Amino acid sequence: DSVPEKIDYVFKVVVIGDSAVGKTQILSRFTKNEFCFDSKSTIGVEFQTRTVNIKGKVIKAQIWDTAGQERYRAVTSAYYRGALGAMLVYDITKRQSFDHVARWVEELRAHADSSIVIMLIGNKADLVDLRAVPTEHAVEFAEDQGLFFAETSALSGENVDKAFFILLEEIYGVI
Ligand code: GDP
Ligand code: MG
């Protein structure tokens, strides 16, 4: 995790999912180890990076965040271009955000490369008392669709690194 001198690979990863599920905070947790309590909704497409070691290789993860287009289902195909991985996020306390996951998978199948590695993320796992999506439902859906799956909390940091490392290792395995 130290600052490297030479980058072996750059992996583009897109973060998608309904608005307010915590996409921007997951990104901020992974790249800066920060959680921003008064964050505004994202303006303008942007990406953040973090350089990590995967199996002895220096990998720069270039992780793209949506610009609020998720509200209009208007994420453009340019956003998906060249993406090797996708973090598809829902909020475990918002049933609707999970119901929309199938739609997001369709989006990926339509616009992204067919070999894209997809990780389904149930975020806000810290809000246990408000849980609306049982873990088993998500596990079942993920197995059915061939997705990796993790529950995370951008707030506590639980499983965020782990989920990204699983995704990046899997991408490294398929390139
Ligand atoms: P985005 O629209 O998907 O990018 O969602 P944001 O990252 O902007 O987060 C939406 C809201 O959910 C904000 O108020 C965040 O503070 C909150 N949030 C994000 N992640 C978590 C989490 O893991 N736990 C809790 N309790 N709140 C979170
Ligand atoms: Mg956002």
Side-chain angles (χ1 to χ4, degrees), residues 18-26 35-37 39-42 65 70 123-127 152-156:
D18 280 9
S19 187
V21 297
K23 299 182 298 299
T24 299
Q25 293 307 321
I26 286 174
F35 184 91
C36 186
F37 283 94
S39 69
K40 306 200 172 68
S41 52
T42 325
D65 196 8
E70 65 269 37
N123 189 44
K124 308 197 187 181
D126 55 285
L127 300 175
T152 61
S153 168
L155 178 60
S156 74

Side-chain angles (χ1 to χ4, degrees), residues 3 5 10 16-17 21 33 48 51 54 59 62 67 78 86 89 94 96 109 115 126 135 140 143 153-154 156-157 172:
V3 178
E5 295 185 353
V10 177
I16 55 170
V21 297
N33 199 20
Q48 311 267 11
T51 301
I54 304 277
I59 310 253
Q62 185 191 76
V89 187
K94 292 276 179 325
Q96 185 174 252
R109 304 278 185 230
S115 64
D126 55 285
T135 305
E140 200 176 308
E143 280 176 1
S153 168
S156 74
Y172 181 67

